[in-house]
Amino acid sequence: MLLRPLLSALAALTLLAGPAVARTGAEAPLAPGAHHAVINDVRLWYRVAGREEGTPVVFLHGGPGQGGQTFARYAGPALEPHLRMVYLDQRGSGRSERPWDDAYSLELLVDDLERLRQTWGVERISLVGHSFGTILALEYAAAHPKRVERVVLAAAAPDLPAAMDLQCRRLERLEPETYVRAVAARPEGSRARCNPFVADRSFIDGAMFPDPATQRLVEESDAVDGLRNTGQIGRALFGAGGLMEYRFDRHARLTMPVLVIAGLADFQTVVEPQRDLVRALPDARIVEYPGRGHFMFVEEPERFAAEVAAFLGR
């Protein structure tokens, strides 16, 4: 999810990319249970659950920096009887290591995933991305199309300036005084009309959670075992990493089937850019959830899991 770390997303940090080295323990890397693998000099954590055969389905969480525990808790139980699930905590997230040198970039996250695939010894993987994780899924699939069987994008963010423009229109309608400040805070050279993240927390949370009860469930599961999003990766990617201007433009590379799932009450990753993405991809369709927000897999886990399992299990 593109969450509250965006409030400080314009902070400038230097990104340092370390050398690529992959090491794992002696256990089978896709055996059921929790694993660690040192990839690009960072110890990554992932958990394998569900079926013990078939194409691995890798969940790519949002945030950036959220971790996969909420998805695993709500969508996992209904997905695992049908799929071979891999819940990966990206570098700087969840139970994975925070790089001491702030080595974060979209290219590095894509390479982490490719080196994990090589470590697992599989020809292809399927991807389920949520919010920021959809950006990572899109970029990995474009970089390695022959390694991806199918892609699911939930609350997709293929065009951040377009999404921010729509958020600005909502802010102008609901909080005109805050909108004036947001226009003034627009970063120089930005393609968006304002910086909606100057709004207070209630506006940003309301954009994601049409029902406050869902927010409580997400925050509770995000904090399990003392885990939390430190915002470190978000500050790096949206600051010096320039991700605020992200726009996916390699549609022809995604020749595999793609399923987009969008909540129509999600005003964080709004539906219009997701519809545009589906129209531009060679083989894609969209499923829309009326009244649902940024976490449709928490609001309707059984429906979400049934549609994802049917799509990935074909």
Side-chain angles (χ1 to χ4, degrees):
M1 58 184 167
L2 301 165
L3 281 176
R4 288 184 291 276
L6 290 179
L7 292 171
S8 56
L10 300 179
L13 292 175
T14 302
L15 302 180
L16 300 174
V21 179
R23 300 183 298 274
T24 60
E27 75 280 3
L30 283 176
H35 299 261
H36 289 94
V38 178
I39 305 292
N40 289 326
D41 290 338
V42 173
R43 184 173 294 276
L44 301 180
W45 180 95
Y46 64 94
R47 183 172 67 88
V48 181
R51 299 186 63 180
E52 295 187 32
E53 57 184 18
T55 302
V57 178
V58 185
F59 174 65
L60 302 174
H61 60 75
Q66 182 190 19
Q69 57 270 22
T70 295
F71 186 88
R73 177 175 180 176
Y74 287 98
L79 288 172
E80 289 163 15
H82 309 283
L83 301 170
R84 189 183 197 182
M85 294 299 303
V86 181
Y87 304 104
L88 168 66
D89 285 353
Q90 300 150 29
R91 60 172 55 220
S93 310
R95 292 176 172 84
S96 288
E97 186 179 5
R98 276 69 173 160
W100 66 270
D101 56 357
D102 283 347
Y104 296 111
S105 70
L106 188 53
E107 293 77 13
L108 193 52
L109 289 165
V110 167
D111 192 59
D112 285 348
L113 182 54
E114 170 59 9
R115 291 180 181 276
L116 274 173
R117 183 200 62 79
Q118 295 171 11
T119 296
W120 297 334
V122 295
E123 286 295 315
R124 295 197 296 176
I125 57 178
S126 287
L127 303 174
V128 177
H130 176 236
S131 196
F132 167 73
T134 67
I135 295 176
L136 180 52
L138 286 167
E139 291 300 313
Y140 179 86
H144 305 283
K146 294 182 179 180
R147 301 305 183 187
V148 180
E149 188 170 289
R150 289 174 180 258
V151 177
V152 176
L153 306 173
D159 188 337
L160 288 183
M164 289 173 63
D165 264 351
L166 291 165
Q167 293 173 41
C168 290
R169 293 175 191 173
R170 179 171 177 265
L171 185 62
E172 183 179 21
R173 184 177 71 254
L174 298 178
E175 299 183 17
E177 293 183 1
T178 305
Y179 172 73
V180 172
R181 291 194 291 110
V183 171
R186 173 181 173 273
E188 183 177 355
S190 174
R191 289 178 288 187
R193 67 165 67 183
C194 81
N195 176 11
F197 303 108
V198 305
D200 61 25
R201 175 172 172 172
S202 63
F203 178 85
I204 295 170
D205 289 344
M208 292 186 291
F209 302 105
D211 183 355
T214 304
Q215 180 178 356
R216 291 192 291 271
L217 293 175
V218 171
E219 291 180 346
E220 174 188 312
S221 56
D222 275 358
V224 68
D225 295 335
L227 300 175
R228 67 185 183 91
N229 188 346
T230 66
Q232 181 183 26
I233 182 173
R235 288 189 294 272
L237 293 179
F238 288 98
L243 199 62
M244 195 73 77
E245 298 299 312
Y246 177 80
R247 179 176 289 162
F248 183 69
D249 60 3
R250 294 190 286 172
H251 303 88
R253 298 277 295 172
L254 269 66
T255 55
M256 71 293 296
V258 177
L259 173 66
V260 175
I261 303 178
L264 294 184
D266 179 7
F267 301 106
Q268 180 81 337
T269 51
V270 289
V271 70
E272 288 86 350
Q274 301 181 67
R275 292 170 177 163
D276 292 341
L277 174 68
V278 169
R279 284 190 287 266
L281 291 175
D283 183 4
R285 65 185 180 92
I286 188 168
V287 176
E288 298 177 1
Y289 286 27
R292 299 309 186 187
H294 202 62
F295 289 84
M296 74 292 289
F297 55 83
V298 176
E299 296 164 306
E300 291 195 61
E302 292 183 0
R303 177 189 174 185
F304 178 91
E307 289 175 333
V308 170
F311 174 74
L312 294 179
R314 288 178 183 172

